[in-house]
Amino acid sequence: MRILKYIFDFYIQSSLHVALAVYALIRITFFKLNISYDESVAYFGFFGTIVGYNFIKYDELARVKKIKLTKTFKAIIVLSVISAFATFYYFLELNAKTKLIGFGALLLTILYTLPFFPHRTNMRNWSGLKIYLVAIAWVGVTVLLPVINAEVDFSIIVFLKCIQRFFLVFVLMLIFEIIDLQYDDLKLHTIPQKLGLKQTKRLSYLLTLVFLGLDFFKPNITFQQLVITFLVALILLLYTYYSNSKRNKYFTSFWVESLPIVWLLLLLIFG
């Protein structure tokens, strides 16, 4: 039992789970926009997420706080190095325009983590900025990356998919901010800190309904696909409703981040 818990915790801590969520959203973009599956884009997003998220999570711990190198931390470093090589390999497989998006995501990750400006902290600690940066980055990687690499015209449908994906990630991040409300520094000015718990949840409900409504703008969408989006929105509403600062770490780090994976599985089975 302890071994299974260690494996599960490593799966979460090493960012494999969030990387799988990114991979799922890329596959959903292929599905929703009728783009042929592209391994280079999907795996670039998957491995790049492992590298980026582990860099964000563990850079300060290793560089500033000098934490002890445990076996788990060493294993995460090894996984991150292997993922970095895989990311570079799949980066080379992308077309020139897509590489610019990938490079932009890398630059955003660096700026998000390291303090580049005098007398300022990194972008992660800039007041109220984190949630927008994450949502924009996820839109870039999970929507724009596959669209540009497939040389699909940037139509109104693609634009609406960007908006829909932004709202999805934004609501997911709001759940994270609700859970972390009692721990976040007041200087961060997160949305729950500014609006309060009830108003933040009301905002989440509204954005979730918009997320659902945007699916009706897709031409030739099937009834099954609409039902699947409705189920995803319903799960999102339930996650928001039951979110509070007393939830354990697995509520967000596993269950909430599983939503894109559940969405993809539903599309593959019933879509």
Side-chain angles (χ1 to χ4, degrees), residues 43-100:
Y43 286 133
F44 174 77
F46 176 78
F47 288 111
T49 299
I50 294 174
V51 177
Y53 265 71
N54 285 344
F55 180 63
I56 289 170
K57 287 193 294 185
Y58 300 113
D59 166 73
E60 186 176 358
L61 292 176
R63 180 171 49 86
V64 179
K65 297 184 180 179
K66 309 291 184 182
I67 65 168
K68 183 180 178 181
L69 289 177
T70 62
K71 290 182 179 180
T72 300
F73 196 22
K74 288 178 181 178
I76 290 173
I77 292 174
V78 171
L79 175 64
S80 299
V81 171
I82 294 172
S83 297
F85 281 110
T87 302
F88 182 68
Y89 171 79
Y90 287 110
F91 176 80
L92 296 178
E93 297 292 310
L94 304 175
N95 66 39
K97 291 181 180 179
T98 317
K99 286 176 180 175
L100 289 176

Side-chain angles (χ1 to χ4, degrees), residues 44 91 98-111 137 141:
F44 174 77
F91 176 80
T98 317
K99 286 176 180 175
L100 289 176
I101 299 292
F103 183 77
L106 173 63
L107 183 62
L108 188 61
T109 300
I110 294 173
L111 289 173
V141 173

Side-chain angles (χ1 to χ4, degrees), residues 73-271:
F73 196 22
K74 288 178 181 178
I76 290 173
I77 292 174
V78 171
L79 175 64
S80 299
V81 171
I82 294 172
S83 297
F85 281 110
T87 302
F88 182 68
Y89 171 79
Y90 287 110
F91 176 80
L92 296 178
E93 297 292 310
L94 304 175
N95 66 39
K97 291 181 180 179
T98 317
K99 286 176 180 175
L100 289 176
I101 299 292
F103 183 77
L106 173 63
L107 183 62
L108 188 61
T109 300
I110 294 173
L111 289 173
Y112 186 78
T113 309
L114 300 177
F116 269 76
F117 304 101
H119 311 297
R120 295 297 300 269
T121 59
N122 54 38
M123 291 174 69
R124 174 173 43 184
N125 295 316
W126 289 11
S127 297
L129 191 60
K130 175 181 176 180
I131 190 170
Y132 301 99
L133 286 174
V134 173
I136 291 171
W138 279 55
V139 169
V141 173
T142 68
V143 181
L144 294 181
L145 206 82
V147 165
I148 293 174
N149 203 66
E151 298 183 347
V152 173
D153 292 334
F154 195 86
S155 63
I156 185 64
I157 300 301
V158 174
F159 174 74
L160 290 175
K161 288 303 171 188
C162 288
I163 300 299
Q164 185 186 48
R165 191 64 50 83
F166 179 89
F167 285 155
L168 172 68
V169 179
F170 195 88
V171 173
L172 291 174
M173 288 299 298
L174 282 178
I175 295 172
F176 274 83
E177 290 194 345
I178 290 171
I179 301 297
D180 294 337
L181 186 57
Q182 63 177 331
Y183 303 109
D184 282 338
D185 191 322
L186 292 176
K187 294 179 181 178
L188 291 177
H189 298 296
T190 64
I191 291 177
Q193 287 175 343
K194 291 189 288 186
L195 297 183
L197 184 59
K198 288 184 178 180
Q199 288 299 104
T200 300
K201 287 191 175 186
R202 286 172 183 169
L203 174 62
S204 293
Y205 298 147
L206 175 62
L207 295 181
T208 301
L209 292 176
V210 175
F211 161 80
L212 174 62
L214 286 171
D215 231 36
F216 288 88
F217 289 92
K218 182 188 177 185
N220 304 318
I221 190 168
T222 65
F223 177 73
Q224 290 93 329
Q225 291 175 21
L226 286 174
V227 171
I228 289 169
T229 306
F230 173 79
L231 290 175
V232 171
L234 179 61
I235 295 171
L236 196 54
L237 288 170
L238 290 173
Y239 279 155
T240 300
Y241 180 80
Y242 286 106
S243 62
N244 58 66
S245 57
K246 295 180 181 179
R247 294 291 172 189
N248 65 39
K249 62 179 181 179
Y250 297 117
F251 180 77
T252 49
S253 62
F254 180 75
W255 292 110
V256 173
E257 289 183 353
S258 293
L259 185 57
I261 303 169
V262 172
W263 190 5
L264 176 61
L265 290 175
L266 289 172
L267 284 172
L268 292 176
I269 297 170
F270 302 109

